[in-house]
Amino acid sequence: MDKVKQIIYNVLDNNQKMTANQAAYLFECKSAEALNLIQNAANELRKKLVGDKVSYIINLNANFTNICDSFCIFCGFRRNATESDAYILDINDFEPHLDYNVNQLGITEVCFQGGLHSKLKISGFKSVSLLDTYAELLSRVKGRYPDLHIHAYSPEEIEFLSVVSGKSEQYILEYFKDSGLDSMPGTAAEILVDEIRKKICSKKLNTQKWIDIIKLAHKLGVPSTATIMYGHFENSFHKARHLEILRNIQEETNGFTEFIPLPLIPDKTYLKDKVAPLTCVDRLKLLAISRLFFGKDIKNIQASWVKQGFEETAESLDWGCNDIGGTLGDERITQAAGGTFGRGVTKKQLVDIITFKNRIPVLRDTLYLYQKDRSLTYLT
């Protein structure tokens, strides 16, 4: 226990940044005593950095197609164009849905992500080229609701469009920003170690390309989330190296708004029965170590109700988390992989999770501004 205590002491009392080797060591700790020390330290640091307020957002996820030219062995969402349940968003159906979410539910964010479909054509659009189609989706929504925050297109989608269009990633990001893009999901990161990426998503962009696109987005004024997708073939050092890469980027750009760990849901994927299932402790420990590792560099650590469920999300608030994500509305990717906790929830359900733990629920927007009656103040 002396080594665990020393690592924690250095973080909490000496304001030292945890090394990747130290994080890997904590990931290997399994004793009840060690877990108790890690949990209590994460909770103490959470309270010191962000207090007892727990934030959430009213948002809508729109996965605009499940047709994908790529193949990742952890994905249950992907379909071929010929499959009966393949779909592409129809803007004439989507806009009334968007209107309801904005005007009746009060969403402040819409998130667009989808499969990598090189022949994508959205019904109701004028665009001919793939790149223009992606841009028109942004401009159509921004023209309808100028104040609605558009959170869209991961680094994987940016690279895909660059390859298809022949345009540079910078050109695409600037084009999308001009069309209405406000921020980017930091997904497609999975594990930022190429030996693991080759096993689980061999057709996706490599680690350095992901880093380059995220850093470019940040420098162009497009912030992003940071994520990890774990619970497959990675080991403790791979997770620690991933966290180190994210922290290095944050030290350079300060462009990450939050960190969102995404535990693998394998039930309807190729990985079913091929990997050991994650336990509740596995997920909570990663959240706690992430809090200690990032410290003040990334203050917002988010639990994922759609992947962890309500009870575990509530428990996460005692393991360093200060955010529980959004209402989502129509999130399909997790459910397609075998998730059982739903595609969307109400504001009341999120508030109930927070108050169950005697924390203070706070409505936020994408950039972690607190909201009260549409009036924003900076989250401190």
Side-chain angles (χ1 to χ4, degrees), residues 162-174:
S162 178
V163 171
V164 172
S165 70
K167 302 291 186 181
S168 69
E169 287 96 358
Q170 179 163 340
Y171 174 92
I172 292 169
L173 285 166
E174 289 176 338

Side-chain angles (χ1 to χ4, degrees), residues 11-13 15-18 40-55 247 250 257 259 287-301 317 319-323 359 368 370 378-380:
V11 171
L12 294 184
D13 297 320
N15 295 316
Q16 292 182 9
K17 294 191 177 185
M18 191 186 298
N40 289 339
N43 205 30
E44 181 180 338
L45 186 57
R46 182 272 307 162
K47 190 174 181 66
K48 177 182 177 181
L49 291 174
V50 295
D52 287 331
K53 293 177 179 177
V54 177
S55 53
R247 190 174 68 188
Q250 185 72 340
T257 55
F259 177 62
L287 289 165
I289 293 171
S290 299
R291 167 62 74 190
L292 295 169
F293 188 88
F294 289 124
K296 64 182 180 181
D297 289 316
I298 303 179
K299 291 184 179 181
N300 301 306
I301 306 296
L317 301 183
W319 289 71
C321 290
N322 70 302
D323 186 83
R359 300 289 171 78
Y368 281 79
Y370 283 165
Y378 280 99
L379 181 150
T380 57

Side-chain angles (χ1 to χ4, degrees), residues 177-287:
K177 188 178 179 183
D178 290 342
S179 300
L181 180 67
D182 295 302
S183 65
M184 173 189 289
T187 48
E190 325 312 357
I191 296 290
L192 292 169
V193 177
D194 284 333
E195 65 179 283
I196 301 300
R197 300 180 74 78
K198 289 175 182 177
K199 294 179 181 179
I200 63 171
C201 53
S202 59
K203 292 187 177 181
K204 274 190 173 177
L205 75 180
N206 63 27
T207 296
Q208 190 57 54
K209 178 61 75 172
W210 189 94
I211 293 170
D212 291 344
I213 292 174
I214 278 288
K215 288 169 64 173
L216 177 61
H218 293 176
K219 290 174 182 178
L220 291 174
V222 180
S224 76
T225 58
T227 67
I228 183 174
M229 197 280 290
Y230 66 100
H232 36 86
F233 300 134
E234 86 286 349
N235 61 31
S236 294
F237 182 77
H238 295 139
K239 290 194 287 278
R241 175 58 181 152
H242 182 100
L243 298 185
E244 183 179 46
I245 288 171
L246 295 179
R247 190 174 68 188
N248 289 343
I249 294 171
Q250 185 72 340
E251 288 173 345
E252 180 179 340
T253 70
N254 196 34
F256 290 130
T257 55
E258 73 228 81
F259 177 62
I260 314 169
L262 304 171
L264 174 71
I265 307 292
D267 298 14
K268 295 183 180 179
T269 76
Y270 176 84
L271 289 175
K272 182 181 180 181
D273 301 325
K274 293 181 175 62
V275 295
L278 289 165
T279 67
C280 175
V281 171
D282 292 331
R283 294 185 288 267
L284 295 174
K285 183 167 67 170
L286 188 137
L287 289 165

Side-chain angles (χ1 to χ4, degrees), residues 9-136:
Y9 175 79
N10 287 339
V11 171
L12 294 184
D13 297 320
N14 290 341
N15 295 316
Q16 292 182 9
K17 294 191 177 185
M18 191 186 298
T19 67
N21 284 336
Q22 289 171 335
Y25 181 84
L26 294 186
F27 281 126
E28 289 295 307
C29 292
K30 294 179 173 61
S31 73
E33 184 181 357
L35 290 172
N36 189 55
L37 287 169
I38 292 167
Q39 176 188 359
N40 289 339
N43 205 30
E44 181 180 338
L45 186 57
R46 182 272 307 162
K47 190 174 181 66
K48 177 182 177 181
L49 291 174
V50 295
D52 287 331
K53 293 177 179 177
V54 177
S55 53
Y56 66 96
I57 186 170
I58 303 174
N59 62 349
L60 171 66
N61 276 20
N63 305 120
F64 51 86
T65 184
N66 62 351
I67 300 170
C68 190
D69 299 348
S70 189
F71 176 77
C72 302
I73 63 174
F74 57 81
C75 179
F77 178 68
R78 176 197 178 276
R79 295 292 185 273
N80 293 317
T82 55
E83 293 185 72
S84 61
D85 55 349
Y87 75 88
I88 298 174
L89 175 144
D90 185 322
I91 195 66
N92 297 311
D93 293 332
F94 176 72
E95 285 182 335
H97 181 54
L98 179 66
D99 293 342
Y100 173 79
N101 274 269
V102 172
N103 299 318
Q104 301 300 318
L105 302 183
I107 66 166
T108 59
E109 171 197 289
V110 61
C111 174
F112 290 117
Q113 290 191 99
L116 307 177
H117 183 22
S118 56
K119 297 180 180 179
L120 177 70
K121 294 185 183 300
I122 293 180
S123 178
F125 275 14
K126 299 177 181 178
S127 300
V128 175
S129 77
L130 184 64
L131 184 58
D132 289 343
T133 296
Y134 274 71
E136 187 172 347

